[in-house]
Each structure stands twice: as structure tokens, then as C-alpha cells.
Amino acid sequence: MNQQEDIKNAVEVMRQGGVILYPTDTVWGIGCDATNAEAVAKVYKIKHRDDSKALICLVDSDVRLQRYVRDVPEVAWQVMELATKPTTVILDNAVNLAPNLVAEDGSIAMRITREPFSKELCYRFQKPVVSTSANFSGQPAAENYRDIDHALLEAVDYVCFARRQEKNPHTPSSILRIRPDGQVEIIRK
């Protein structure tokens, strides 16, 4: 299967409220439509994760990010532009997302992906895609496809074919909390 067919299949599954496993700019991820509360609930259930723990969303561009966060602080743009590794920013004033995805304080964790497959997936989907590590809560993140628990493969609606043969080390993103006043807090290096 070529990449375009793989992305088309993944997008169709997400449009129908399904959950996918896919390679990201960091580790393998569990994904769904970030605007669909039922799909987000499925992700929490699959991961055996408390829904009070936030999930990250991937977008393909700064234009898309602005549709889901009201008033992105200037320092956030600078951080994302200068980052040398994938960096997730937690921003206040999330809008147009599934309510069970947004933290109680109204914040959301977003990352603009530059990795070719996940960027194209987000672009073709035209909405943010949930991106939480492909593992059960409390277990190590799946750096590569071969690290994914078989039960997790069975629990989702579609598993992408891209990058399944990789054996490269991958690490989760850095996470920074950026307040509207520009204050920055490092959550994960």
C-alpha cells in the first residue's frame, strides 16, 4: 500500500469516529478526530487512561493551530519556530475541540508536526488529530511499530502501514506550558 492510500484510509476511519495507530514526529501514536467527543472517549478507554489526563493534538500548520486556540502568545510562535526537536505547547483558550479533550482550565496541548507522514495525515484530515503514545496507560511508549502491544493493535479501527519497518530510537516531545502573558514553564524536557 502506498502512503496516499494509507493516509486516505486513516482519514476515512477518523471521519467515521474511529481510532487509528500511526507514526508521528516522535513515537507511534493513537489518534482520532480531536473534535469528536465520542472518538476521544474511545481513546481514553483503549488506553485505560483517566480522562482527567490531557491528550496532545497534532496539526499540520500554524494556520490550523489558530483555529483551535484563541490568542496564541507571540512567545509560543517563537518557541515552535526555534525548537530543534518536536515540541508540544500547552496553550490556554482552546476552542472548537471535543470538550473531553480540553483540560478543566480551558487549555490544550498542541504540536505542529513537520514529519512527512503525520503532517500529510493532518493536512488531509483538515482538523487536529489526537496524538497520545501507542501504549496502555503506565506502560512505556512505543518507539517503533514492533514495540506496540498486540492487544492495542486489536483495539483500534485502523493501523497505518507507514514506517512499520523502522527500528530507530524515538522519544516523546518536549512539553512547554505557555501562559497568555508569555510565561513559559517546562513540563517535559
Side-chain angles (χ1 to χ4, degrees), residues 6-71:
D6 201 14
I7 288 172
K8 181 181 176 190
N9 291 341
V11 164
E12 185 58 33
V13 167
M14 289 191 294
R15 284 194 178 132
Q16 294 174 6
V19 176
I20 66 169
L21 276 174
Y22 68 110
T24 75
D25 53 342
T26 60
V27 297
W28 269 70
I30 301 173
C32 71
D33 178 350
T35 67
N36 181 329
E38 288 179 22
V40 170
K42 285 181 196 175
V43 170
Y44 280 115
K45 184 177 180 184
I46 288 169
K47 277 191 69 98
H48 306 271
R49 185 172 178 161
D50 183 350
D51 65 6
S52 67
K53 293 190 175 187
L55 301 174
I56 294 170
C57 295
L58 289 187
V59 291
D60 65 312
S61 67
D62 50 358
V63 171
R64 184 109 40 231
L65 174 71
Q66 292 178 80
R67 292 182 190 162
Y68 298 95
V69 177
R70 196 176 284 124
D71 303 322

Side-chain angles (χ1 to χ4, degrees), residues 3 12 14 20 26-27 37 48 58 75 81 111 117 121 151 155 157 162 174-175 183:
Q3 182 170 305
E12 185 58 33
M14 289 191 294
I20 66 169
T26 60
V27 297
H48 306 271
L58 289 187
V75 70
E81 186 177 319
R111 184 167 73 250
F117 184 86
L121 177 71
D157 301 300
S174 297
I175 301 177
Q183 184 180 10

Side-chain angles (χ1 to χ4, degrees), residues 2 5 7 21 25 70-71 74 76 89 91 93 96 98 104 119 122 124-125 129-131 156 173:
N2 69 35
E5 291 172 33
I7 288 172
L21 276 174
D25 53 342
R70 196 176 284 124
D71 303 322
E74 183 59 35
V89 291
L91 301 166
N93 303 313
N96 306 318
E104 285 183 19
K119 183 177 182 74
C122 292
R124 294 281 172 217
F125 190 55
V129 176
V130 165
S131 182
V156 300
S173 68

